[in-house]
């Protein structure tokens, strides 16, 4: 499959056309951003890890019955995916309080919920990805009621799957962000990525952070944490 023109360059990936109008190539970069692009940096080797981790996890999710955009890994940083029209919602599932949840509601990080929570934000960089509920999403015509139901159902299924998988690896899944898209026939599939950039992953024994919070919070050991989480995953494939 040949890379044709670059369609888009985002904060973490580049997206290319291919000779098949239904397929795209994504190319993962080492660039890292946080706080809506205000903090910028590089995490050496991140692109390779995020590409491979996202692909391994999506292949497993596909087998467990959640449709995804994943087609085939082409190289260390490049993957062939089904082209979708992205539903402009960031779907966040949380099992444990952290980050913006802790800040917004005044709950210490680490408080474990009895049930997972779901929230949406409007994927719109100019507006700073504002939080919204499903009624707002309908009013803004971001998705149909049936699409929102499907997205919620898949998101909780992804959580059940990932929570159990990471537990086997000695890792606690705190929270994560998903994006969904529509194939040309309207089918909703999981798209974008699942990686330490988009998830909070804590060592189950020590609570050590093995994700992008190390970069966001200038904790050091960022590359090492990405390598550690990848080796945990590889040991449990
Ligand atoms: P951002 O746009 O937030 O800077 P990235 O650097 O990760 O993010 O860029 C990847 C872009 O590609 C994102 O906007 C994402 O929504 C989009 N995308 C992910 N998967 C697909 C897909 N299968 N088809 C079309 N677009 C996709
Ligand atoms: N997240 C993400 N992209 C975003 C915002 C959040 O991937 O634009 C992920 C983040 O890595 C974490 C989860 O979603 O795993 C919840 O993030 P939170 O709302 O706590 O926001 P943050 O602390 O990143 O501001």
């Amino acid at each position: 499959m040949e890379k044709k023109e670059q369609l888009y360059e985002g904060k973490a990936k580049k997206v290319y056309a291919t000779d098949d109008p239904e397929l795209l190539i994504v190319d993962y970069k080492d660039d890292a951003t946080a706080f809506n692009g205000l903090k910028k940096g590089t995490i050496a080797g991140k692109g390779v890890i995020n590409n491979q981790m996202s692909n391994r996890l999506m292949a497993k999710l596909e087998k467990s019955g959640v449709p995804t955009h994943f087609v085939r890994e082409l190289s260390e940083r490049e993957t062939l995916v089904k082209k979708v029209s992205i539903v402009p919602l960031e779907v966040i599932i949380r099992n444990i309080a952290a980050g913006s949840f802790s800040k917004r509601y005044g709950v210490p990080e680490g408080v474990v919920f009895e049930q997972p929570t779901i929230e949406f934000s409007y994927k719109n960089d100019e507006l700073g990805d504002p939080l919204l509920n499903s009624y707002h999403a309908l009013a803004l015509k971001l998705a149909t009621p049936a699409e929102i139901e499907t997205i919620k159902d898949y998101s909780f299924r992804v959580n059940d799957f990932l929570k159990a998988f990471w537990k086997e690896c000695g890792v606690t899944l705190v929270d994560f962000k998903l994006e969904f898209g529509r194939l040309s026939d309207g089918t909703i599939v999981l798209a974008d990525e699942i990686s330490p950039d988009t998830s909070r992953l804590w060592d189950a024994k020590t609570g050590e952070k093995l994700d992008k919070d190390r970069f966001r919070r200038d904790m050091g050991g960022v590359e090492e944490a990405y390598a550690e989480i990848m080796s945990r995953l590889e040991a449990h494939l």
Side-chain angles (χ1 to χ4, degrees):
M1 189 57 65
E2 219 181 295
K3 242 180 184 173
K4 298 188 84 177
E5 76 274 16
Q6 183 178 305
L7 299 175
Y8 179 78
E9 174 160 9
K11 297 185 285 288
K13 304 190 281 300
K14 293 180 191 174
V15 180
Y16 295 87
T18 67
D19 17 9
D20 183 332
E22 307 268 352
L23 298 174
L24 299 175
I25 292 172
V26 289
D27 185 340
Y28 285 72
K29 308 189 288 181
D30 285 348
D31 299 356
T33 62
F35 314 119
N36 208 16
L38 281 178
K39 182 179 168 77
K40 289 192 179 71
T42 335
I43 303 174
K46 170 173 86 80
V48 174
I49 289 174
N50 286 7
N51 181 41
Q52 294 176 349
M53 182 175 295
S54 195
N55 293 343
R56 304 297 173 274
L57 293 175
M58 287 209 193
K60 283 178 173 286
L61 282 165
E62 193 83 54
K63 276 195 187 158
S64 83
V66 177
T68 77
H69 72 165
F70 176 63
V71 178
R72 180 158 42 91
E73 193 166 291
L74 299 176
S75 72
E76 278 195 328
R77 291 176 185 270
E78 296 165 310
T79 294
L80 189 65
V81 299
K82 292 175 188 162
K83 179 179 184 170
V84 300
S85 133
I86 290 282
V87 176
L89 290 173
E90 299 202 336
V91 184
I92 292 172
I93 299 277
R94 301 176 192 269
N95 298 302
I96 298 180
S100 68
F101 186 98
S102 289
K103 206 168 165 202
R104 188 178 316 121
Y105 303 116
V107 184
E109 288 208 329
V111 171
V112 181
F113 304 147
E114 272 179 30
Q115 287 182 50
T117 68
I118 189 164
E119 71 204 44
F120 300 112
S121 45
Y122 180 17
K123 192 174 150 59
N124 184 317
D125 281 337
E126 271 130 65
L127 299 176
D129 296 343
L131 189 67
L132 45 61
N133 66 32
S134 54
Y135 292 90
H136 299 143
L138 291 175
L140 293 169
K141 296 199 179 333
L142 306 182
T144 67
E147 286 175 337
I148 289 178
E149 281 316 303
T150 303
I151 287 172
K152 281 192 202 162
D153 174 51
Y154 287 164
S155 298
F156 284 119
R157 281 159 61 184
V158 170
N159 185 46
D160 289 341
F161 177 84
L162 290 180
K163 224 166 59 172
F165 176 77
W166 283 122
K167 194 175 176 187
E168 281 177 40
C169 304
V171 171
T172 305
L173 176 63
V174 175
D175 57 31
F176 57 94
K177 182 268 296 177
L178 299 175
E179 292 182 25
F180 292 87
R182 304 174 187 98
L183 299 177
S184 57
D185 69 357
T187 309
I188 293 283
V189 302
L190 179 62
D192 204 48
E193 67 179 275
I194 308 177
S195 73
D197 273 17
T198 62
S199 316
R200 285 195 170 92
L201 301 160
W202 294 353
D203 181 273
K205 280 212 189 92
T206 64
E208 189 192 354
K209 296 187 198 309
L210 300 173
D211 58 57
K212 195 172 152 188
D213 270 348
R214 300 198 78 87
F215 168 79
R216 293 190 188 100
R217 301 178 188 189
D218 295 319
M219 296 171 75
V222 186
E223 278 87 1
E224 292 79 0
Y226 275 71
E228 173 62 23
I229 196 77
M230 189 64 200
S231 79
R232 299 270 188 105
L233 176 136
E234 277 171 335
H236 286 86
L237 282 176

